[in-house]
Amino acid sequence: MKLNILTAAVLTSGLAMAATGANAGMTTDRNGNVGYDTYDECVMAVKDGSAKFYTPYTYQNPMRRTGEVSVAKMSLSEVMIPQSVVNNNNLRTSDYEAGACDMGVGQSNGRYGVSGALVGKYVPFASDMPVNVYMDRNGNPVRVTMQQCDNHFGSNFPTPVISEVKAPEAQLAIQEERSMEAVVIETKRTIRPTQYQVSEVIIAPSDQVQRVNTAAGTRVAVETADGRTVYVGQEADAQAIRNTDINQTYPVIRVPDNNMQNNMQQRIIDPNTGRTIIVE
């Protein structure tokens, strides 16, 4: 029997110690508001529903500071923290959807913060708490205070609590079948002979030579002295001239001429000297 009584006593003592440990990090002021030793403890209380959110107990009208041109009244959840504030303070969210856990501060700049017992503690603030939002001339929020008392937070924007993130829906993985095919590009090339044969040579002033575009390509027309236009074919380019086989006989026609037949020449190669000879 003594063992049973002793065991019961130890169990009772253990439960009392556990209850004391659970509330060891929480402080309550004379107005019933609470604060926690650490930010994580405050967040845990907010998320498990055990937190008692701060309730103002004084009344003060809004008081603008330098650079603040207007004051908007809204709930804390309607406030969006400027991105510059998020970046400068390494915040993990820019909204107050889950409220705030902010370090309590005392009086400054003509306004109170929280009660003395909660200064330095992390105080939970509800997402639907009415607040004053001070705006600059561009309508950007620059400071937030408690609406009823105009008391300030630990900084211009209280530290937000990160809301519970819903797990994203599973994404259906779609595998695409892709086939790789070799693409063969055929290139047609026209190989011209390295040696050209000349049927005739026409010598004419440049102002009597015209180039004409035809279905078969560009052709050269020469106007003769009697007013006739003769199509003489394709004009020889520099490459063709360099590769012309002149070891042959071909007529040379001069234009203008009243009688083309009288001025026909024969250009031949002297086999003894290798020089070109024009015979009229």
Side-chain angles (χ1 to χ4, degrees):
M1 174 64 84
K2 291 183 179 179
L3 180 60
N4 292 337
I5 293 174
L6 180 60
T7 302
V10 171
L11 288 175
T12 303
S13 175
L15 291 174
M17 290 175 63
T20 303
N23 296 322
M26 184 178 72
T27 301
T28 304
D29 68 4
R30 62 181 182 179
N31 298 299
N33 291 316
V34 300
Y36 298 85
D37 288 347
T38 66
Y39 172 80
D40 290 338
E41 289 175 331
C42 179
V43 170
M44 184 179 300
V46 170
K47 293 190 174 183
D48 67 19
S50 64
K52 181 182 183 299
F53 293 113
Y54 189 86
T55 301
Y57 52 89
T58 59
Y59 295 85
Q60 289 282 356
N61 293 324
M63 182 175 63
R64 290 178 297 174
R65 297 178 184 173
T66 302
E68 300 170 346
V69 299
S70 63
V71 183
K73 297 182 181 296
M74 58 183 69
S75 63
L76 185 60
S77 62
E78 295 175 307
V79 178
M80 290 300 296
I81 308 174
Q83 191 59 45
S84 59
V85 176
V86 173
N87 296 339
N88 292 337
N89 294 276
N90 295 319
L91 302 179
R92 297 175 58 190
T93 183
S94 60
D95 62 65
Y96 293 102
E97 182 181 345
C101 275
D102 196 58
M103 179 178 286
V105 293
Q107 182 181 4
S108 65
N109 295 317
R111 287 291 183 266
Y112 293 99
V114 295
S115 60
L118 301 183
V119 173
K121 304 293 183 178
Y122 287 88
V123 181
F125 295 93
S127 60
D128 60 353
M129 179 183 188
V131 293
N132 295 322
V133 182
Y134 292 85
M135 309 282 191
D136 62 15
R137 66 181 60 188
N138 296 319
N140 300 315
V142 295
R143 186 167 63 96
V144 178
T145 63
M146 307 175 205
Q147 188 178 120
Q148 176 180 306
C149 55
D150 200 40
N151 286 9
H152 53 77
F153 295 101
S155 59
N156 288 342
F157 292 86
T159 305
V161 171
I162 301 174
S163 60
E164 296 294 339
V165 179
K166 297 180 180 179
E169 297 181 0
Q171 300 293 323
L172 179 62
I174 301 177
Q175 295 183 351
E176 296 182 359
E177 294 184 0
R178 298 182 180 180
S179 60
M180 303 298 291
E181 297 181 359
V183 178
V184 179
I185 300 176
E186 295 183 357
T187 302
K188 294 182 178 180
R189 297 182 179 179
T190 301
I191 302 177
R192 300 183 182 274
T194 58
Q195 297 294 326
Y196 297 88
Q197 300 295 323
V198 178
S199 60
E200 64 180 3
V201 173
I202 298 178
I203 301 174
S206 59
D207 59 352
Q208 290 185 252
V209 179
Q210 295 183 354
R211 291 168 181 82
V212 181
N213 294 325
T214 67
T218 303
R219 295 293 182 262
V220 177
V222 177
E223 182 181 354
T224 61
D226 56 2
R228 293 187 305 110
T229 300
V230 181
Y231 290 95
V232 295
Q234 187 174 4
E235 183 179 18
D237 56 16
Q239 182 66 25
I241 293 174
R242 283 195 298 268
N243 294 328
T244 298
D245 181 9
I246 60 174
N247 190 19
Q248 64 180 94
T249 300
Y250 53 88
V252 177
I253 304 173
R254 295 183 181 274
V255 178
D257 193 348
N258 293 328
N259 187 349
M260 295 180 62
Q261 297 297 327
N262 295 334
N263 286 280
M264 292 190 64
Q265 301 172 336
Q266 294 293 323
R267 178 169 295 199
I268 61 175
I269 302 297
D270 186 342
N272 297 321
T273 63
R275 296 179 179 178
T276 301
I277 301 173
I278 298 177
V279 179
E280 296 184 354

